[in-house]
Amino acid sequence: MKKIISLAVLTLALGPAAALAQNAANAPDLSQEHFQALDLDKDGSISLQEYEQFMRDTFSKLDANKDGSLSPKEAETILTTEEFVIVDKNKDGKITLEELLEQVTTDFKRQDLNKDGKIQR
Ligand SMILES: [Ca+2]
Ligand SMILES: [Ca+2]
Ligand SMILES: [Ca+2]
């Protein structure tokens, strides 16, 4: 349950090299690259809104058949089978945008150490 799926999602945008580096370092923190990808308005911090926006974009990119949910196959590039089960809260074998955003919000709050609604570098 400690896994932060956002890092897996980010590998989509940043490519497999970033993913490998991330795994090698085994660091839960956002790298500078990740940070810049998420900080859409470039104000030096990541708001929950920016975080969610990124995940919405990712979701629509992954939803190949546009049925509004991700099958295990559609999500396989960002989630392991284990992670898929965790995010699929109602266990219907599909991940909806709502389920993804719920997970994203949880991840965000865990990273927002001073609880000001933003993640600073
Ligand atoms: Ca920002
Ligand atoms: Ca789909
Ligand atoms: Ca579901």
Side-chain angles (χ1 to χ4, degrees):
M1 294 293 282
K2 284 264 166 66
K3 285 205 170 175
I4 298 175
I5 66 155
S6 58
L7 294 180
V9 172
L10 282 165
T11 64
L12 268 191
L14 301 170
L20 286 176
Q22 196 68 43
N23 288 340
N26 197 23
D29 302 315
L30 287 167
S31 72
Q32 188 158 341
E33 261 181 316
H34 288 151
F35 194 96
Q36 285 171 352
L38 281 167
D39 184 15
L40 299 173
D41 65 3
K42 308 294 172 207
D43 70 344
S45 63
I46 299 166
S47 63
L48 181 56
Q49 211 180 11
E50 285 171 330
Y51 208 67
E52 284 190 357
Q53 184 58 48
F54 189 89
M55 293 305 160
R56 281 175 206 276
D57 292 348
T58 303
F59 186 93
S60 53
K61 268 181 224 157
L62 289 176
D63 185 13
N65 65 356
K66 304 296 172 204
D67 69 345
S69 62
L70 300 182
S71 63
K73 182 106 183 80
E74 286 170 332
E76 73 183 357
T77 51
I78 60 157
L79 299 172
T80 65
T81 310
E82 227 178 27
E83 289 164 342
F84 190 93
V85 171
I86 293 168
V87 180
D88 181 17
K89 290 264 170 12
N90 67 355
K91 310 295 174 210
D92 66 349
K94 294 178 284 196
I95 292 176
T96 60
L97 182 58
E98 268 171 28
E99 285 172 332
L100 185 67
L101 289 182
E102 196 179 321
Q103 181 66 41
V104 161
T105 306
T106 305
D107 286 346
F108 185 91
K109 288 186 176 151
R110 193 162 49 217
Q111 291 177 60
D112 180 16
L113 298 176
N114 67 355
K115 309 289 175 212
D116 66 349
K118 291 178 173 197
I119 298 174
Q120 276 92 11
R121 199 167 337 213

